[in-house]
Amino acid sequence: MGLLDGKKAVVMGVGNQRSIAWGIATAFQREGAELAFNYATERLRENVEKLVVTLPGHERMPVMPCDVSKQEEIDAFFAKLGEQWGRADILVHSIAFAAVEDLRGRFHEISRDGLKLAIEVSAFSLIALTRAALPLFAKAGGGSVMSLTYNAVDRVVPSYNSMAMAKAVLESATRYLAADLGPQNIRVNTISAGPLRTLAGSAVKGISSARDLMEEKAPLRRNISQDEVGNVAVFLASEMSRCVTGATIFADNGFNVLGVAD
Ligand SMILES: NC(=O)c1ccc[n+]([C@@H]2O[C@H](COP(=O)([O-])OP(=O)(O)OC[C@H]3O[C@@H](n4cnc5c(N)ncnc54)[C@H](O)[C@@H]3O)[C@@H](O)[C@H]2O)c1
């Protein structure tokens, strides 16, 4: 018996095999969830489809376009999902984008348009996707929404400039959505993952040294994996976390508790 038996989960943000969203999808599948996926661009479609066919029961899994910067694609995605599934129980937002020049460089030189883009794609999208999923959650009698953040919000991390601002919005939106949607039995949380070598991760200069530092100094003295984040996501998606909402849950081997690492 799986922790997510009978649950329908929309997993948004698979780009390739290393994506955190893929770690979450495989953990959800192991626990018995039905899955639906998006791809952000036509270029990524093949990547996502090739991964999905490796899953048992893939014939029944919707795989549809959804670029979160286009409202019409969000609307079409959830309208089609509504026709196919009728309801949804879980929404995973594992999406981020920023222009490289707005991640690196001097913070005070960050561009107006670059900051807008990072916040729109990486944070406003959580609100837009959650809103679009509401009719499907209503049919399920509630829902669990989760996203991925990074502890560059409370701490300054070099090369994270515009994304740090976007994650601050994402974390705040998590709390506001949780308060707004709690009465509809919809929980909203975010997972603050440690550094992982993914496409998005490699856009941030210094991901390797961040991983070295984690292995050397984190209380658990090791790095995290996509699978481990997947297991935290299972907890947030399942009834085991029915009293948890509005939370930022750290999946970082305790690194966030350190002031000065010895
Ligand atoms: N890798 C890390 O070290 C790390 C640590 C903490 C949090 N995160 C967060 O995890 C999430 C997933 O990132 P990842 O590391 O798995 O990298 P990834 O590159 O595999 O995933 C990012 C995904 O965002 C999607 N995306 C970008 N723009 C989009 C758009 N306009 N519409 C729809 N989708 C779009 C991409 O297609 C990609 O699938 C991100 O929110 C990231 O900030 C990553």
Side-chain angles (χ1 to χ4, degrees), residues 69 97-99 102 112-123 166:
S69 64
F97 182 78
D102 294 304
R112 187 183 295 260
D113 287 344
L115 188 53
K116 273 191 202 164
L117 177 69
I119 291 174
E120 190 198 344
V121 175
S122 318

Side-chain angles (χ1 to χ4, degrees), residues 13-15 19-20 38 40 44 66-69 94-97 121 148-150 160 167 193-196 198-201 207:
V14 175
S19 294
I20 295 174
N38 80 311
L44 286 173
C66 184
D67 175 341
V68 296
S69 64
S94 187
I95 291 170
F97 182 78
V121 175
L148 273 301
T149 186
Y150 184 58
Y160 216 83
K167 294 302 191 194
L196 281 159
T198 63
L199 211 59
I207 189 89

Side-chain angles (χ1 to χ4, degrees), residues 14 21 52 110 120 130 150 176 184 196 204 219 230 244:
V14 175
V52 172
I110 202 165
E120 190 198 344
T130 303
Y150 184 58
Y176 275 83
Q184 289 155 249
L196 281 159
V204 179
V244 180

Side-chain angles (χ1 to χ4, degrees), residues 9-14 35-46 48-49 52 58-68 70 72-88 91 95 129 132 136:
V10 188
V11 179
M12 307 192 76
V14 175
L35 302 172
F37 297 91
N38 80 311
Y39 50 88
T41 60
E42 252 336 278
R43 205 174 48 79
L44 286 173
R45 178 184 190 150
E46 204 184 318
V48 180
E49 286 180 344
V52 172
H58 62 86
E59 308 82 5
R60 294 188 305 276
M61 295 177 189
V63 181
M64 299 182 290
C66 184
D67 175 341
V68 296
K70 296 178 180 148
E72 64 280 11
E73 291 199 12
I74 295 177
D75 294 341
F77 181 93
F78 283 94
K80 279 192 207 141
L81 196 65
E83 284 164 22
Q84 290 185 45
W85 270 7
R87 63 160 231 268
L91 171 64
I95 291 170
L129 294 176
L136 295 175

Side-chain angles (χ1 to χ4, degrees), residues 93 122-123 126-127 130 145-149 166-182 186-192 236 244-249:
H93 173 292
S122 318
L126 176 71
I127 303 168
T130 303
V145 179
M146 69 196 76
S147 66
L148 273 301
T149 186
K167 294 302 191 194
V169 174
L170 183 85
E171 291 183 15
S172 185
T174 299
R175 294 185 281 272
Y176 275 83
L177 284 169
D180 188 20
L181 300 175
I186 296 167
R187 299 185 291 109
V188 187
N189 295 289
T190 187
I191 302 171
S192 188
L236 287 177
V244 180
T245 195
T248 299
I249 308 260

